[in-house]
Amino acid sequence: MAKANLGRRDFLKSAGIATLSLAAIGAGVGYLKKLHASDSKNLLRPPGARDEKDFIYACIKCGLCVQICPVGAVKLADIDHNLSYGTPFIDAREQACDFSCGALQCTETCPTSALNFYKFKDVGEAAIIEYVKEHPNAYQDPEFNPIQYQADKMHREVRMGIAKLNPSSCLAVQGKGFHGTPREQGFRGVYLSVNQGDKEACPVNDHHFDREICDLCVTECPIGDTAIVMKKTEENGAMHFRPEVLEGCTGCGVCEMVCPTSQASIVIVPKNQITEKGGEL
Ligand code: SF4
Ligand code: SF4
Ligand code: SF4
């Protein structure tokens, strides 16, 4: 009888421990999920990153994407980012992803497909095939650079985030121009400006601008007029200007990096904060 009671007591004890353990695991998982969601929300991930939750689980924090980026745009999150610690992100105001590497090198180098290169490779290859179909003599044309063409198409497919204007500080909205070099003395960011005739990424402050109405975010955008345009409207005989971000914006952050106001007047909202409709969560 005593033996039977002991068995029952042991069973109840084990059941109690098991229930408490399950509850603790459940609470732990819930907490981790919450931590992931809140913690990663503001991080701008490198090109080709999978959706945030998949990305977090796929990234092994190897740092290869950091090492390969020729402009040093990719950094690893530090301990302040809790569970995102060690995962890659881009601080566009400090150093944007200017696509000067050619074909998404960070994405290509990722060993786990946390940055999903194949999605973009297929797009690039399909674009080349399409182009050659339409232009059968393409390869005889000295102007045609198939690698560049493929890279351009791939860059356009990337959506790291989307640029968002702060009209209250934007110089163009205030009808103001900009003359000089965009960033503070000692700023170390670099980018390749097609508009300025660069052949490779150059320091931001090597570029000098003389604009009656500021439009640096528009002219320096590596994607061009499918991503951002300067909207001009006339009201009571006066012209008004406002940069308008379009569907083709990839969230590369060049506009945020070159914007000459003390706090950038255009900033990137990371992909994981954008709903399918394009609004912020
Ligand atoms: S290369 Fe891929 S797995 Fe490695 S840190 Fe970068 S995203 Fe993570
Ligand atoms: S670069 Fe900045 S200040 Fe100039 S137009 Fe663009 S957002 Fe406005
Ligand atoms: S507007 Fe152009 S420069 Fe700015 S984030 Fe979008 S693609 Fe990049």
Side-chain angles (χ1 to χ4, degrees), residues 172-184:
V173 172
Q174 295 166 51
K176 292 181 182 167
F178 177 74
H179 308 274
T181 51
R183 296 294 302 273
E184 65 279 5

Side-chain angles (χ1 to χ4, degrees), residues 165 170-172 214-217 230 243 259-261 265-266:
L165 184 76
C170 171
L171 297 174
C214 182
D215 61 356
L216 273 53
C217 54
M230 184 62 79
C259 177
T261 53
S265 298
I266 188 161

